[in-house]
Amino acid sequence: MISIPTSRVVSRGESAEQVGGANADAILARAASLRGLFADRAAGHDRDAGFPFDDIADFIASGLMALPSRGEAGGLGGSLATAQAVIGSLAQGDASTALVIVNHYMVHATIAARAGWPEALAARLEEENVRRPGLINAALAEPDLGSASYGGLPETVATATPDGWRITGRKAYVTGIPALAWLLVRARTDEPTPRVGLFLVPARADGVIEHRNWDHVGMRATHSHEVEFRDVAVPAGDVTDLVESDARHPVLGGMMRWNTGLLGALYDGIVRAALDWTAGFLRGRVPSNLGQPLATLPSVQDAVGRVVLALDEARMLLDLYAGDVAAGRAEAADRGAAVIKARVIDGAADLTLHLLSLAGNAGLSARNPLERCHRDALCGRIHAPHGELVRRKAGQRVLAS
């Protein structure tokens, strides 16, 4: 794990374990403190496409790494609803940093739940997340296969050895790779009837090669590069349960539940940041031929109201979804996930574009955050599952009946 310079957010010497008794208000207060720091740095990270090591250091120092880890293990025992609130707040500061944290949270939520995890491996990672925190991400997508949400066997192969496994393959969009301690790599075994599992790989292990090819218009600081694995050794105990190739892995199912809610909160946060800047601009902009702020015009109030109502709808959807996930209402959660993808995640860019139309030239200036919010919001549509797949499944559900 690389060394990251730290600027303190919490009291010196305070650990994640000591934060364990904090209530939701205290957790959100920590997130709000981080949001301000992230916002101050976001333009520089975006302009230079530099990785936000300073943000990650402050996040680790805050103790919020342990949010999804169980209370009995020294973590915060946070629910999906609390995690959504944290991610939404952080995304208003810097969406790129928030996306790195989304992936860490979704993996550790499944570790806390234990489904699909050997107890010894889950306990080890959970203990590390509380006492020696290091970021983790799941390496799922592949350059040729695409997203795991479409199914199909991964081309990344795990070959059995006397001591465990050897991993060979290539993964795409490995967000946060410069600061990751661990990679959870989806691979198939080389058995006559392949099985599929997730293999734990140290991010700096021999044979792990980072291909720095992330150069997107949005989420520029995420460094979501491709990563190649050349005969990387994995101990026998560092793998999740292996399942038949056509079975849904319980770890993947759990990650996707949290991923949907957290991505929804992230893109909701982007739109809220865009609205905050736009509202300030409209209140302060007084055209000479009008003699009063643009914010006083009924047409402008109507246009802003469209975004406000969409955000109110998004908040209700996210709250309902978190409740369904917590209660184990699988069918309701599945439908909620589809609506969140279509309305909140994919719809974010429509709302930021609408705000750009209100702000005019000022909104497109790189000196202001609105254009960055729009570029980041555009990336919502590339997250799995693709919007076309979501709509098609919804249509099939009705037409097949």
Side-chain angles (χ1 to χ4, degrees), residues 6-268:
T6 303
S7 62
R8 301 295 296 184
V9 175
V10 297
S11 301
R12 186 173 298 278
E14 191 169 39
S15 67
E17 188 173 9
Q18 291 170 304
V19 182
N23 58 27
D25 289 341
I27 290 171
L28 297 182
R30 291 174 184 274
S33 295
L34 290 171
R35 180 180 66 211
L37 292 174
F38 292 3
D40 289 342
R41 305 163 181 155
H45 293 149
D46 175 74
R47 181 181 59 251
D48 302 331
F51 188 80
F53 290 109
D54 41 9
D55 288 355
I56 297 301
D58 284 331
F59 174 65
I60 292 172
S62 75
L64 292 179
M65 287 273 280
L67 177 64
S69 296
R70 299 175 307 160
E72 55 265 39
L76 302 183
S79 65
L80 175 57
T82 302
Q84 286 176 175
V86 168
I87 292 298
S89 181
L90 299 182
Q92 292 178 57
D94 191 333
S96 287
T97 303
L99 185 58
V100 176
I101 298 166
V102 163
N103 294 310
H104 180 81
Y105 276 0
M106 75 173 185
V107 174
H108 272 282
T110 71
I111 292 171
R114 292 300 200 267
W117 285 92
E119 176 58 31
L121 179 57
R124 193 182 94 213
L125 290 172
E126 187 174 54
E127 192 269 346
E128 179 181 287
N129 193 45
V130 170
R131 292 176 174 81
R132 299 181 304 279
L135 288 169
I136 190 171
N137 192 6
L140 305 177
E142 296 184 345
D144 294 329
L145 178 67
S147 166
S149 65
Y150 283 94
L153 278 174
E155 294 186 357
T156 302
V157 176
T159 303
T161 70
D163 300 321
W165 305 89
R166 290 273 177 177
I167 306 295
T168 297
R170 189 167 177 139
K171 295 295 183 178
Y173 311 123
V174 185
T175 295
I177 183 60
L180 295 181
W182 297 103
L183 295 162
L184 197 60
V185 183
R186 182 174 181 258
R188 60 181 171 90
T189 65
D190 64 342
E191 300 163 312
T193 302
R195 293 178 295 164
V196 176
L198 297 153
F199 297 77
L200 185 68
V201 175
R204 312 301 152 201
D206 291 340
V208 176
I209 302 165
E210 177 185 334
H211 295 275
R212 300 176 63 85
N213 53 6
W214 177 256
D215 188 22
H216 278 42
V217 67
M219 295 287 190
R220 287 171 51 76
T222 63
H223 283 233
S224 301
H225 304 301
E226 290 185 10
V227 176
E228 183 179 358
F229 302 88
R230 293 184 183 174
D231 201 32
V232 178
V234 176
D238 285 6
V239 59
T240 65
D241 296 347
L242 296 173
V243 301
E244 299 302 319
S245 60
D246 58 349
R248 181 66 168 170
H249 201 290
V251 173
L252 286 178
M255 283 198 297
M256 291 305 102
R257 282 276 190 259
W258 272 60
N259 182 261
T260 297
L262 296 180
L263 285 179
L266 186 152
Y267 284 93
D268 176 76

